[in-house]
């Protein structure tokens, strides 16, 4: 998962003229936070990356982009999203990584890429679960980077 996250960081279509939204779904332990940590580290976030499980949102301001990492697991419903201030972070130059987006259905903007992570006996498969053409191109470029590195 960390390797896929790093590939997504390397394949990120910079500069971002509009926000780029990545939604990560899947059961507990499927690797959502690990993927996010891999992306953040490869994007240039130095030091340990905290899971935003309790703060709900962590914002990382980097030289070329701002990454918003949200973990909505503890959200009681979509109505609790507004006070978090995400609306102000929906801006050019921003990449969102949202874990548990299903907790805020109808309150989040449409995503560019949604990945469904799961747990199987010997692996953690990832399935493209939604998004648009920009997200599909981003994901394809990241998968190509993963293939080349193996």
């Amino acid at each position: 998962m960390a390797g896929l996250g790093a590939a997504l960081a390397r394949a990120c279509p910079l500069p971002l003229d509009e926000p780029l939204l990545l939604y990560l779904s899947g059961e507990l332990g499927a690797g959502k936070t690990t993927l996010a940590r891999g992306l953040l580290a490869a994007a240039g976030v130095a030091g340990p990356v905290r899971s935003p499980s309790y703060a709900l949102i962590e914002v990382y301001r980097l030289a070329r982009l701002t990454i918003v990492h949200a973990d909505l697991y503890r959200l009681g419903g979509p109505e609790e999203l507004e006070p978090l201030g995400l609306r102000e972070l929906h801006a050019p130059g921003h990449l969102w990584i949202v874990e548990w987006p299903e907790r805020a259905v109808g309150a989040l903007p449409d995503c560019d890429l949604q990945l469904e992570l799961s747990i199987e006996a010997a692996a953690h498969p990832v399935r493209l679960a939604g998004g648009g053409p920009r997200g599909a191109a981003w994901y394809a470029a990241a998968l190509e980077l993963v293939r080349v590195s193996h």
Side-chain angles (χ1 to χ4, degrees):
M1 288 301 152
L4 177 56
L8 284 165
R10 290 192 309 273
C12 186
L14 296 175
L16 296 176
D17 296 331
E18 57 186 73
L20 184 64
L21 283 66
L22 169 63
Y23 292 174
L24 303 174
S25 298
E27 59 192 291
L28 285 170
K32 295 178 295 295
T33 300
T34 300
L35 189 151
R37 283 186 176 130
L39 191 156
L40 288 159
V45 173
V49 172
R50 297 183 302 268
S51 172
S53 295
Y54 293 99
L56 300 180
I57 296 174
E58 293 289 341
V59 178
Y60 301 90
R61 298 188 193 290
L62 305 170
R64 297 186 66 201
L65 79 156
T66 297
I67 301 177
V68 178
H69 183 196
D71 182 335
L72 305 182
Y73 181 74
R74 292 183 38 244
L75 214 62
E79 67 282 352
E80 293 181 10
L81 192 64
E82 185 63 33
L84 299 179
L86 278 175
R87 185 182 311 268
E88 293 79 34
L89 298 170
H90 191 255
H94 285 65
L95 166 62
W96 287 20
I97 306 167
V98 180
E99 298 181 43
W100 300 97
E102 56 276 7
R103 304 280 178 150
V105 170
L108 287 169
D110 291 338
C111 68
D112 293 292
L113 177 61
Q114 181 166 0
L115 300 178
E116 176 74 34
L117 287 63
S118 58
I119 302 171
E120 292 183 3
H124 287 247
V126 177
R127 181 178 68 81
L128 180 61
R134 186 168 76 139
W138 178 32
Y139 188 56
L143 289 180
E144 186 59 30
L145 289 172
V146 170
R147 277 196 269 300
V148 169
S149 70
H150 282 91

